[in-house]
Amino acid sequence: MALRLMKSLPEIEDQELVARTLDGDRDAFGVLVERYQDRVFGLVRHYTRNPVEVEDIVQDTFLKAFTRLSSFQRQGSFHNWVYRIAVNTTLDLFKRQGRNPVQTVEDPEVIGAPPTRSLMRPDAQLKEREIAEVTHKVLAELPEIFRTVLILREFEQQAYQDIADLLGISIGTVESRLFRARAKFKELILQRYPEYGQVE
Amino acid sequence: MKCEAVKPLVAGYLDNELSESQAAPVRQHLLDCAGCRNEMQSQTAQKSWFVPTEPIAVPDGFATRVSRRAFAGDKGLLVPAPRQEVQRGEARILQFVIQMTAVAAVVLLILALGMKFNAHPEGSELRADSSDLREALEVMERLNREEQFQLPQDNPPGASQPEATQPVGSGVGK
């Protein structure tokens, strides 16, 4: 029955589904979950490659969203709101587990000297999966604040303003973090794979 | 536009974050300047490391399951109830350690004050007060002298030494 009802709801706006959920409509919340589950799974997967952990985090994300639904600002984007919860849930979990503790942008070891070589494109012989593996290994070594802006910008194609809203920071901070994150990403790739470097 | 003004805008240009009025002069400069074009190509090359990943397979019935759990009052595996329990337990242990540390500190303070007022040497000269010991040594020395003096009378040579079992001062009055 739930599935049948959910199929009649897909055209309804997010705000309406939120209102119905708050009125106790379980199917409405199911539609919201179904609408965004692919994207949230995709987002969380950039943080961890463990599929069980991904599922747990995504599930927690939606359960948290449900408990906080009354605080959702109806004029805002539900997608951005859920994304923010997903990022925070992931980072909270990592923090509790002592994985990749947050480092400040001002940490000189984090910023380091800008690489003097530029990064080449990945080898045409490499398959997309292999490139993604390399990229995610390097991303995993980045401080959380850098990893998150890179994931949101480069994988999720989020606009600077959306990233700023999502993380609760200014656009200027987004630009600054992206600049440093890209420099650090390049530095780490060149350390691991010096063959991809070329003199600028 | 000059290169110094263009280079910081290249990332925003590639990310489509510039307004048309900002992007147009950057575009023109990139056509004219090989150096800035290289910078753009370098940043484009870096972007090509972020390839789209294959969509992850969402488990069947995920949305229905999550919705049912949410309406059943489930707040999730990772937060917050078990965490609060752990935090409460940790808080109790921490509170106990702090209380014990405070008690130990007070005891140490009392001991230190007691030592300061009861066993502090008097006077400015730093030396052990050995007057009692000296008196005792003098008494013992005197007793030994008296005893040695009396030995030849009470114990002729070759006799056993029963006095060794007698108290030191037992022969003094004889």
Side-chain angles (χ1 to χ4, degrees):
Chain A
M1 167 157 176
L3 197 63
R4 184 169 51 78
L5 279 172
M6 279 161 69
K7 284 190 175 169
S8 67
L9 294 174
E11 300 307 316
I12 299 175
E13 295 283 326
D14 289 349
Q15 279 74 7
E16 176 63 21
L17 289 170
V18 169
R20 287 194 190 189
T21 304
L22 288 170
D23 287 341
D25 185 342
R26 197 168 85 185
D27 297 328
F29 188 63
V31 174
L32 274 174
V33 174
E34 189 144 311
R35 190 170 285 179
Y36 294 106
Q37 62 186 12
D38 289 348
R39 297 178 74 174
V40 179
F41 264 88
L43 170 68
V44 174
R45 194 179 47 160
H46 294 306
Y47 286 92
T48 169
R49 312 298 280 174
N50 178 344
V52 175
E53 194 170 54
V54 170
E55 187 178 341
D56 283 349
I57 293 172
V58 176
Q59 182 172 269
D60 261 36
T61 296
F62 284 112
L63 291 175
K64 269 188 193 175
F66 179 81
T67 57
R68 299 172 190 176
L69 208 54
S70 56
S71 69
F72 169 61
Q73 303 295 316
R74 305 280 174 90
Q75 64 272 28
S77 150
F78 184 79
H79 163 255
N80 273 356
W81 188 70
V82 167
Y83 254 42
R84 184 191 299 189
I85 295 174
V87 169
N88 288 337
T89 302
T90 310
L91 299 188
D92 279 352
L93 176 69
F94 284 6
K95 205 172 169 182
R96 283 206 304 276
Q97 294 178 341
R99 287 156 62 180
N100 205 345
V102 176
Q103 289 170 275
T104 61
V105 190
E106 289 73 26
D107 188 339
E109 287 188 15
V110 169
I111 299 167
T116 53
R117 294 180 303 157
S118 61
L119 185 61
M120 294 162 62
R121 288 174 183 279
D123 197 325
Q125 302 299 315
L126 282 178
K127 291 177 181 167
E128 284 197 342
R129 186 182 292 175
E130 293 168 325
I131 298 169
E133 201 169 308
V134 169
T135 302
H136 280 97
K137 271 186 187 166
V138 173
L139 278 176
E141 290 181 32
L142 288 180
E144 218 47 81
I145 53 172
F146 291 165
R147 177 155 50 151
T148 295
V149 288
L150 274 182
I151 287 171
L152 292 174
R153 174 60 227 162
E154 303 294 7
F155 285 121
E156 301 297 317
Q157 304 295 317
Q158 295 264 310
Y160 290 3
Q161 184 63 60
D162 287 339
I163 298 173
D165 291 346
L166 204 147
L167 298 178
I169 55 179
S170 69
I171 284 199
T173 306
V174 171
E175 288 174 334
S176 154
R177 281 191 190 177
L178 265 177
F179 176 79
R180 287 172 168 81
R182 284 167 169 156
K184 191 69 187 170
F185 178 84
K186 179 162 82 169
E187 183 191 324
L188 288 175
I189 288 258
L190 291 176
Q191 271 175 16
R192 282 172 169 267
Y193 308 95
E195 64 271 25
Y196 285 108
Q198 62 182 8
V199 178
E200 285 181 340
Chain B
M1 281 183 94
K2 291 187 176 177
C3 298
E4 298 78 47
V6 169
K7 280 188 177 169
L9 297 175
V10 171
Y13 177 75
L14 290 174
D15 288 338
N16 277 325
E17 289 287 338
L18 301 186
S19 64
E20 186 49 33
S21 62
Q22 288 175 307
V26 170
R27 194 180 302 118
Q28 186 58 50
H29 182 89
L30 289 170
L31 288 171
D32 299 337
C33 175
C36 288
R37 215 163 40 243
N38 278 344
E39 172 64 25
M40 184 188 72
Q41 282 165 353
S42 168
Q43 291 192 26
T44 308
Q46 183 163 331
K47 280 180 174 292
S48 60
W49 284 86
F50 294 87
V51 292
T53 46
E54 292 166 20
I56 194 165
V58 178
D60 287 341
F62 179 80
T64 309
R65 199 164 60 245
V66 169
S67 181
R68 190 172 57 235
R69 291 182 64 168
F71 275 86
D74 190 343
K75 292 183 172 59
L77 289 170
L78 310 175
V79 286
R83 191 176 160 197
Q84 283 177 345
E85 281 300 315
V86 171
Q87 283 178 341
R88 270 200 289 272
E90 285 174 352
R92 273 199 294 271
I93 292 169
L94 185 65
Q95 193 178 10
F96 176 75
V97 169
I98 290 171
Q99 284 171 348
M100 288 300 104
T101 308
V103 168
V106 169
V107 169
L108 279 174
L109 184 66
I110 291 168
L111 280 174
L113 289 173
M115 287 171 73
K116 177 179 171 64
F117 292 115
N118 291 338
H120 195 273
E122 291 176 3
S124 58
E125 194 180 349
L126 200 62
R127 62 178 177 79
D129 187 358
S130 58
S131 56
D132 291 345
L133 178 63
R134 202 180 304 124
E135 281 172 21
L137 286 172
E138 282 172 1
V139 169
M140 287 175 73
E141 200 174 329
R142 182 163 47 84
L143 289 172
N144 282 340
R145 273 202 303 272
E146 289 171 5
E147 197 173 354
Q148 279 173 351
F149 183 72
Q150 289 173 359
L151 265 178
Q153 297 168 354
D154 297 342
N155 298 300
S160 61
Q161 298 179 359
E163 283 80 6
T165 57
Q166 291 178 354
V168 174
S170 61
V172 173
K174 286 181 182 173

